[in-house]
Amino acid sequence: VLDMMAANTPPGATLEVEARFIIAIAKRLQLAEQGIQNIDKELLATIQPKTPVENRELKALADTFLLNFRHHKKSEEAYLVIDTLVDLKIWPSRYQRLTHGLKGLRANPIWDIEETGYGEKLRELEANWETIRDEALELIRLMPEKNVTYGEEGLNPIKEKWRQYIFSGFGQQSFPDSMC
């Protein structure tokens, strides 16, 4: 496992971050073999990122290790990597992990239109929503029934209240030439 981790460290990761993380994961693997699931706070402190750059490097390193562990069907080792980042409070939980972060992105339930950077386009959509809706309904009316789905089977027993149009995918062609 350690050889695989060392061989699959992403380019650009600093040796210090890489070494601390590999040592911590190796220690955690040893503890897991002894039936100990928790990592001690002292060891966590040695791998806690000190800068935003180290934080990004650690996430990239963890993603690379996870990819390789999964490829080699080493799910327990993958979970140890995930749990280590959870213990470091880099990820909220084993099941809530960011795949990538965008600078300035915040978790707001409601954004002011100006905060999005797309204010002009959003106002245009807002002003024309009825026309857009009518065009979409007309496309659905003209499209063969096989291109209209009612959501996952069993989730929506009332077909009249839910329909979605598949533009392309799931074996369906996109718009026919007559509609373009």
Side-chain angles (χ1 to χ4, degrees), residues 21-34:
F21 192 60
I22 290 174
I23 290 167
I25 296 300
K27 178 70 173 167
R28 195 155 195 173
L29 287 168
Q30 290 173 342
L31 292 171
E33 287 172 1
Q34 298 168 15

Side-chain angles (χ1 to χ4, degrees), residues 136-149:
L137 290 172
E138 182 64 8
L139 284 173
I140 290 171
R141 189 184 72 72
L142 295 173
M143 189 48 64
E145 182 66 20
K146 69 179 186 169
N147 279 59
V148 178
T149 180

Side-chain angles (χ1 to χ4, degrees), residues 1-10 17-27 29 61-62 64-66 68-69 72 74 77-78 80-81 84:
V1 170
L2 291 176
D3 290 340
M4 183 175 46
M5 289 170 67
N8 291 292
T9 299
V17 173
E18 173 189 337
R20 290 190 330 238
F21 192 60
I22 290 174
I23 290 167
I25 296 300
K27 178 70 173 167
L29 287 168
L61 195 58
T64 302
F65 293 163
L66 288 172
N68 284 284
F69 283 147
H72 293 287
K74 296 188 173 292
E77 289 84 351
L80 288 174
V81 170
T84 301

Side-chain angles (χ1 to χ4, degrees), residues 4 12 43 64 80-81 85 93 104 108 125 149-151 155 170 173:
M4 183 175 46
L43 184 56
T64 302
L80 288 174
V81 170
L85 269 68
S93 79
N108 285 356
L125 283 172
T149 180
Y150 297 96
L155 289 180
F170 300 104
Q173 289 183 332

Side-chain angles (χ1 to χ4, degrees), residues 13-115:
T14 59
L15 186 56
E16 183 182 347
V17 173
E18 173 189 337
R20 290 190 330 238
F21 192 60
I22 290 174
I23 290 167
I25 296 300
K27 178 70 173 167
R28 195 155 195 173
L29 287 168
Q30 290 173 342
L31 292 171
E33 287 172 1
Q34 298 168 15
I36 302 168
Q37 294 301 315
N38 294 331
I39 189 169
D40 64 53
K41 293 183 191 306
E42 224 174 87
L43 184 56
L44 271 179
T46 67
I47 58 173
Q48 185 71 49
K50 296 172 178 67
T51 66
V53 171
E54 282 190 4
N55 191 304
R56 283 192 302 274
E57 287 180 4
L58 191 57
K59 287 178 192 176
L61 195 58
D63 286 341
T64 302
F65 293 163
L66 288 172
L67 182 70
N68 284 284
F69 283 147
R70 288 187 181 121
H71 177 75
H72 293 287
K73 299 188 181 352
K74 296 188 173 292
S75 58
E76 290 306 312
E77 289 84 351
Y79 286 136
L80 288 174
V81 170
I82 292 168
D83 291 343
T84 301
L85 269 68
V86 169
D87 290 341
L88 290 167
K89 302 202 180 337
I90 291 172
W91 289 332
S93 79
R94 189 183 263 196
Y95 308 105
Q96 293 177 302
R97 303 184 311 269
L98 291 175
T99 55
H100 64 282
L102 298 174
K103 187 175 182 167
L105 183 63
R106 334 180 282 295
N108 285 356
I110 299 172
W111 287 53
D112 290 333
I113 200 165
E114 300 310 323
E115 290 180 293

